[in-house]
Amino acid sequence: MTGTRARRTVASIAVSAALACGSACTAGEPPAAAPATSTPPRPTAPSSGPPALTGPSADALRAVERATGRAGSARVESTTVMGRELSLEAEGALGWRDDGLTGTLTITYTGGTTAETMRRLGTTAMEARYLPDAYYARVGDEFAERVGGRHWIKYVYEDLEDLGGGAGAGFADQMRNTTPNQAVKLLLTAGDVRRVGEETTRGRRTTHWSGTVGTETAQTVDIWVDDRDLLVKKVERGRTKTGELTQTAYYSDYGVTVSAQRPPAGDTTDFKELLRSQAG
């Protein structure tokens, strides 16, 4: 592989890895892996769907949104399948406050074409750290050799917003909003929300809600809520350019202490630098 081609491959995979990590806990509009000369696609805004929900169902879901928001943090386990492109598992803890998102996830790539490419670059799992101003992804040694020996890729949210003449703004929002109450906000935009009934979820009694959001790329959102109005489980289903998207996430230990340290500057490369090398 030539130097130029190698740089472009690394930049492309860095985009795909970020998209995958950004989708690990909230699917939204699922992205396809980026080719070497592309920028991340902008998610479809939920507001393009049916009018916002009103009535008793809306009141119940808004109570869930408020309770989940007030909790401020939770442990997360999720599995995501993005068509033939990528499947992954994520586990860790996230915190959400007025100043932004913090936390750490371990993301394991379990299948798909992007996972195979990353495996050839020596990366089968990745640590993701969320801080209020930026998101950091740790790559393996072989991948790091192609980016100057540095193991961390830094994605500044403001920089992502500038991608592709504004096409990255929705992507940046998706990266910043990886919290369980985002699924409730999505569900509040659905015109067909229904209370499915009472179910047992991981040994806890929960209320199951379901609805369809979006229009051109409609997806179903299901949530299971406990007696404290906190999400226990979330399932999102939709379609990507490479097939069906399915994501299941479980939330527990609301209020858990969460922290994320900024990686050493000497072991970090900026995503914008990777894009410049791609252009070169």
Side-chain angles (χ1 to χ4, degrees):
M1 183 181 292
T2 66
T4 298
R5 183 181 175 189
R7 287 194 300 271
R8 288 178 175 174
T9 298
V10 168
S12 175
I13 294 301
V15 173
S16 299
L19 288 166
C21 294
S23 298
C25 291
T26 180
E29 170 67 10
T37 58
S38 73
T39 55
R42 185 187 183 96
T44 301
S47 59
S48 63
L53 184 68
T54 59
S57 294
D59 293 340
L61 289 175
R62 288 194 181 95
V64 175
E65 182 186 1
R66 288 193 297 270
T68 306
R70 284 195 303 266
S73 64
R75 297 194 187 279
V76 182
E77 302 170 54
S78 71
T79 59
T80 304
V81 178
M82 302 178 188
R84 62 180 179 273
E85 196 69 48
L86 182 64
S87 60
L88 58 88
E89 298 175 352
E91 183 175 2
L94 294 173
W96 49 95
R97 297 294 183 187
D98 291 341
D99 61 346
L101 186 69
T102 58
T104 302
L105 296 177
T106 299
I107 298 171
T108 303
Y109 302 96
T110 56
T113 56
T114 296
E116 288 300 320
T117 304
M118 295 185 72
R119 186 173 291 112
R120 289 195 295 270
L121 289 170
T123 298
T124 58
M126 183 177 291
E127 180 180 337
R129 295 184 186 178
Y130 296 84
L131 284 93
D133 64 325
Y135 158 84
Y136 295 82
R138 193 184 194 283
V139 298
D141 291 341
E142 185 175 347
F143 196 116
E145 288 179 6
R146 300 174 183 270
V147 288
R150 300 183 178 187
H151 293 84
W152 290 92
I153 302 174
K154 178 182 180 180
Y155 302 83
V156 177
Y157 301 130
E158 290 183 357
D159 292 343
L160 292 173
E161 290 174 350
D162 295 335
L163 287 177
F171 176 42
D173 287 341
Q174 183 180 345
M175 297 283 283
R176 281 185 292 226
N177 294 328
T178 308
T179 58
N181 58 337
Q182 296 304 310
V184 185
K185 290 181 178 180
L186 272 176
L187 206 49
L188 280 164
T189 69
D192 63 346
V193 168
R194 67 189 187 281
R195 183 181 181 276
V196 179
E198 303 292 327
E199 300 178 15
T200 300
T201 306
R202 288 198 163 182
R204 299 163 67 181
R205 192 172 75 175
T206 59
T207 301
H208 178 186
W209 294 87
S210 181
T212 305
V213 301
T215 51
E216 295 181 2
T217 55
Q219 66 185 81
T220 60
V221 178
D222 289 76
I223 64 172
W224 287 257
V225 181
D226 67 12
D227 57 6
R228 296 183 298 160
D229 287 333
L230 296 174
L231 260 70
V232 176
K233 179 182 177 181
K234 177 205 70 173
V235 175
E236 295 184 34
R237 297 183 180 90
R239 292 200 62 81
T240 73
K241 293 179 180 179
T242 63
E244 186 175 353
L245 166 81
T246 304
Q247 184 189 76
T248 302
Y250 292 92
Y251 305 97
S252 61
D253 293 339
Y254 279 91
V256 65
T257 299
V258 174
S259 64
Q261 295 184 343
R262 202 174 297 275
D267 198 23
T268 301
T269 188
D270 195 281
F271 178 61
K272 289 181 72 174
E273 295 300 319
L274 288 178
L275 290 184
R276 290 192 186 101
S277 72
Q278 174 184 335

